[in-house]
């Protein structure tokens, strides 16, 4: 990942290779969503058996897998940066679609915050207005258990993703939220390489330095 990039940060005067970082590789995708959920749960159990205080960064992947991590991690507060609400109860009959992921998280998480939304259905807007702390603006500061970054929150001029939306934020805006928010678990979802690779690297560095 970082072979072509400096690991030293000139502002912090730190090198993140001095931190204790372990790459556990890929979680095996099963033949079904439920089988994948079991594999995720086993991976979480393995990590927490080794170190119950471990901070976890997940790189995806379809955004639907976020809900597979928040449950076994016993997440109680959740912040997602996303261009979409993802609050549908089902999408074309599929309750595990990426278009439903925040709705699935909402079902077992106490506090849910959505920032950066700029598109969605009327049903989602009505549900969000009644149940969710959401904003079109990206600004957030505080503490949550889990931060989920759907890269489509950024403008497609910066990065490739499966569901691009115009008029998105800059990578610097995402980094500003990372710096102001305390979190133990984090994921980065929906990126399609290779466009945006330097931004992804910088965002990962920000998370690692923060921890």
């Amino acid at each position: 990942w970082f072979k072509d990039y400096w690991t030293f940060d000139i502002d912090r005067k730190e090198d993140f290779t001095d931190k204790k970082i372990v790459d556990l590789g890929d979680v095996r995708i099963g033949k079904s969503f439920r089988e994948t959920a079991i594999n995720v749960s086993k991976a979480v159990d393995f990590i927490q058996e080794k170190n119950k205080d471990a901070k976890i960064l997940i790189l995806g992947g379809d955004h639907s897998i976020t809900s597979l991590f928040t449950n076994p991690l016993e997440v109680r507060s959740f912040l997602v940066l996303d261009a979409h609400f993802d609050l549908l109860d089902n999408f074309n009959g599929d309750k595990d679609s990426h278009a439903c992921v925040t709705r699935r998280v909402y079902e077992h998480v106490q506090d849910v915050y959505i920032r950066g939304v700029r598109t969605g259905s009327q049903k989602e807007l009505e549900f969000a207005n009644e149940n969710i702390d959401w904003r079109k603006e990206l600004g957030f500061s505080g503490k949550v258990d889990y931060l989920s970054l759907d890269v489509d929150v950024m403008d497609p001029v910066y990065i490739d993703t499966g569901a691009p939306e115009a008029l998105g934020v800059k990578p610097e805006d995402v980094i500003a939220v990372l710096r102001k928010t305390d979190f133990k678990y984090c994921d980065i979802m929906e990126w399609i390489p290779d466009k945006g690779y330097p931004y992804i690297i910088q965002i990962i560095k920000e998370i690692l330095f923060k921890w």
Side-chain angles (χ1 to χ4, degrees):
W1 271 82
F2 292 95
K3 61 184 177 65
D4 298 321
Y5 291 84
W6 294 108
T7 56
F8 182 75
D9 186 273
I10 61 173
D11 293 326
R12 297 177 177 87
K13 297 179 176 58
E14 293 182 70
D15 195 306
F16 73 72
T17 56
D18 294 332
K19 294 179 174 290
K20 294 180 180 179
I21 302 170
V22 179
D23 182 356
L24 296 179
D26 298 336
V27 174
R28 186 172 60 85
I29 301 300
K31 295 180 179 179
S32 68
F33 195 78
R34 294 300 148 208
E35 185 177 331
T36 302
I38 292 171
N39 294 341
V40 167
S41 184
K42 289 179 179 178
V44 169
D45 288 344
F46 174 80
I47 294 170
Q48 294 188 324
E49 285 173 6
K50 298 294 183 180
N51 181 0
K52 63 181 179 61
D53 297 319
K55 296 177 179 178
I56 301 174
L57 172 61
I58 303 115
L59 305 177
D62 190 274
H63 205 176
S64 60
I65 67 171
T66 293
S67 63
L68 302 186
F69 282 93
T70 54
N71 201 2
L73 288 170
E74 298 182 349
V75 170
R76 292 293 171 263
S77 52
F78 175 84
L79 167 65
V80 57
L81 310 182
D82 200 330
H84 309 93
F85 280 117
D86 289 346
L87 287 172
L88 293 175
D89 186 53
N90 72 82
F91 182 68
N92 294 332
D94 182 6
K95 296 177 75 71
D96 297 317
S97 165
H98 62 87
C100 311
V101 62
T102 305
R103 182 69 169 264
R104 298 288 83 83
V105 171
Y106 167 82
E107 291 171 351
H108 63 259
V109 171
Q110 182 175 338
D111 298 311
V112 175
Y113 308 91
I114 307 176
R115 296 293 185 270
V117 178
R118 54 189 186 274
T119 188
S121 68
Q122 182 176 344
K123 285 186 177 180
E124 289 177 293
L125 176 60
E126 291 171 353
F127 184 87
N129 284 338
E130 292 179 6
N131 301 285
I132 305 289
D133 183 334
W134 75 275
R135 303 283 187 279
K136 290 183 67 176
E137 297 77 23
L138 199 60
F140 185 91
S141 60
K143 182 177 182 180
V144 292
D145 295 332
Y146 194 114
L147 187 153
S148 179
L149 170 60
D150 185 328
V151 299
D152 65 29
V153 77
M154 290 184 276
D155 194 272
V157 71
Y158 300 109
I159 201 158
D160 274 343
T161 183
E165 296 289 346
L167 307 178
V169 303
K170 298 178 180 179
E172 299 96 307
D173 300 322
V174 171
I175 288 172
V177 174
L178 294 175
R179 290 180 175 179
K180 294 178 181 178
T181 307
D182 290 328
F183 51 89
K184 186 175 182 180
Y185 311 118
C186 183
D187 67 41
I188 301 173
M189 297 294 173
E190 298 287 346
W191 175 48
I192 298 177
D194 288 319
K195 183 179 177 182
Y197 185 78
Y199 295 120
I200 292 294
I201 291 294
Q202 191 60 43
I203 288 169
I204 292 173
K205 287 171 66 176
E206 287 291 334
I207 294 168
L208 296 179
F209 275 119
K210 184 179 187 68
W211 286 344

